[in-house]
Amino acid sequence: MLIKREYHCLIAELPDLFFDENKTTVTSSVFREELQHQLSLSDYKLVEYLFLPFDDLNLLNVFFGQNKPNFFPGNIAKHELEYQFSQENEEIRLPDYMKTFISWMKGMDRKHAGLEDENILTSLFFEHALDCPNPFLQDWFCFELNLKNIFTAFNCKKYNYEPEIHLLEVEGNDLVYSLLIENKLKADYFEELLPHHEELFKIAESNMEWIEKERAVDKIKWEYLDENTFFHFFTIEKILAFTIKLLLIERWMKLDKETGKQLLDKLIDELLTSYEFPAEFSLTK
């Protein structure tokens, strides 16, 4: 049996290491950079999975030459992505699913990325992510994929779109996808397939504004992370959940500064109060 590495000091001191009481934000990029020095190579590779969706956005930007001013904080620097498409580079140093997407796109006569292209890349990402070597991350990405598809299915019904075009079909996630394609949009069908299924379907069926729905869904995501790391005290799962929460916070900082600050304060408070650390790992000085 493989014994997981534990990061007692890192997890116990997270607020001291990465949060300044005079600041209201901490960037996921800075946190990730610190993790690169603190984690084992195999555990850091797990963290990189969480930033691959940003690499996907950047890949589309570079591939189609859109030159958008905002470059997302992924694993791959902009100049490295640009080098992948230069004539001097004979070997593309990217995850296999990105190589698959690039090969497919090179056979298409497109000058701009469309929804179909983004959906194909996203589907390839989830197929890659669901095969990652960590059960917690596998479950998280499965949860994320199912959420995307469920809310997409409700939008398709509302606006009379074809679900076959917009839903993400990913190998290994056939049950939820099949139910949605068959327009079975009732929570009861998903009782064994989706955590918090009743709450999520109430949100999807509601008339709330989109930003209120986003907040409600992210609140459930936060609860999901807490529930699924409750017995992971000092292992990589706790760090992965913390990273995901930082990414959620950053997103809300862009959407709503006050909401983002409240989420950040909540995260810090939980880190300070939710564990009873041994004396040698005390958070107080």
Side-chain angles (χ1 to χ4, degrees):
M1 181 179 176
L2 183 64
I3 299 176
K4 289 188 176 183
R5 183 168 179 175
E6 294 189 342
Y7 300 95
H8 291 263
C9 292
L10 172 61
I11 293 174
E13 296 181 2
L14 270 175
D16 294 329
L17 286 174
F18 302 107
F19 292 91
D20 185 328
E21 63 183 10
N22 295 322
K23 296 180 179 180
T24 59
T25 64
V26 58
T27 67
S28 55
S29 296
V30 170
F31 182 64
R32 179 187 55 184
E33 194 173 311
E34 186 63 30
L35 292 180
Q36 191 169 11
H37 301 293
Q38 299 269 0
L39 303 180
S40 68
L41 179 59
S42 60
D43 282 345
Y44 182 72
K45 290 292 184 184
L46 296 176
V47 174
E48 288 185 327
Y49 275 88
L50 300 175
F51 292 86
L52 283 174
F54 298 113
D55 289 319
D56 293 342
L57 293 172
N58 293 329
L59 173 64
L60 290 171
N61 181 18
V62 172
F63 186 87
F64 289 101
Q66 295 170 349
N67 295 318
K68 292 181 180 179
N70 295 326
F71 195 77
F72 299 97
N75 301 299
I76 308 169
K78 185 175 183 179
H79 72 275
E80 292 176 322
L81 268 180
E82 291 172 337
Y83 180 68
Q84 309 304 321
F85 303 103
S86 68
Q87 294 182 352
E88 293 81 10
N89 183 36
E90 297 181 357
E91 181 181 355
I92 299 178
R93 297 184 298 274
L94 296 174
D96 287 342
Y97 80 92
M98 289 187 184
K99 295 179 184 179
T100 299
F101 176 75
I102 291 170
S103 296
W104 178 77
M105 285 303 304
K106 284 183 176 179
M108 308 295 290
D109 184 21
R110 299 180 195 269
K111 295 183 179 179
H112 302 283
L115 180 60
E116 178 188 358
D117 308 317
E118 294 179 16
N119 282 349
I120 288 173
L121 180 55
T122 303
S123 295
L124 288 171
F125 159 73
F126 274 112
E127 186 175 320
H128 174 74
L130 292 178
D131 195 41
C132 79
N134 179 275
F136 167 77
L137 267 191
Q138 288 177 6
D139 290 344
W140 166 253
F141 286 124
C142 183
F143 185 56
E144 279 263 87
L145 171 60
N146 289 335
L147 289 186
K148 284 180 180 292
N149 273 341
I150 286 169
F151 281 86
T152 297
F154 272 93
N155 284 333
C156 286
K157 182 179 179 181
K158 180 177 180 180
Y159 297 106
N160 199 28
Y161 295 152
E162 292 293 332
E164 292 85 357
I165 296 176
H166 297 280
L167 293 181
L168 301 175
E169 184 176 8
V170 177
E171 185 177 349
N173 197 59
D174 302 330
L175 290 176
V176 170
Y177 176 83
S178 297
L179 287 170
L180 296 175
I181 284 293
E182 294 171 7
N183 203 33
K184 294 182 177 179
L185 302 182
K186 297 294 182 184
D188 293 346
Y189 289 113
F190 298 84
E191 183 175 359
E192 302 297 327
L193 300 173
L194 183 70
H196 299 273
H197 64 287
E198 290 185 350
E199 299 165 82
L200 289 166
F201 271 79
K202 285 180 181 178
I203 296 169
E205 293 168 343
S206 74
N207 294 320
M208 290 189 291
E209 294 291 332
W210 74 267
I211 196 164
E212 294 176 341
K213 286 188 176 183
E214 293 284 329
R215 284 177 176 147
V217 171
D218 279 358
K219 184 173 184 289
I220 291 175
K221 288 181 180 181
W222 199 286
E223 293 172 2
Y224 173 93
L225 292 168
D226 288 339
E227 292 164 359
N228 286 273
T229 56
F230 187 80
F231 293 107
H232 294 284
F233 299 107
F234 296 106
T235 58
I236 186 61
E237 287 78 12
K238 191 69 74 177
I239 295 168
L240 293 169
F242 182 80
T243 306
I244 295 168
K245 287 183 175 182
L246 282 181
L247 291 171
L248 289 175
I249 290 167
E250 284 187 339
R251 180 167 170 271
W252 279 106
M253 282 291 187
K254 294 175 182 177
L255 293 174
D256 181 336
K257 186 174 181 180
E258 183 58 32
T259 300
K261 182 180 183 302
Q262 291 173 4
L263 285 173
L264 181 61
D265 291 341
K266 181 176 185 292
L267 174 57
I268 296 173
D269 184 64
E270 287 177 355
L271 286 168
L272 290 170
T273 61
S274 59
Y275 315 113
E276 185 175 349
F277 293 114
E280 60 266 35
F281 302 121
S282 173
L283 291 171
T284 58
K285 294 184 178 180

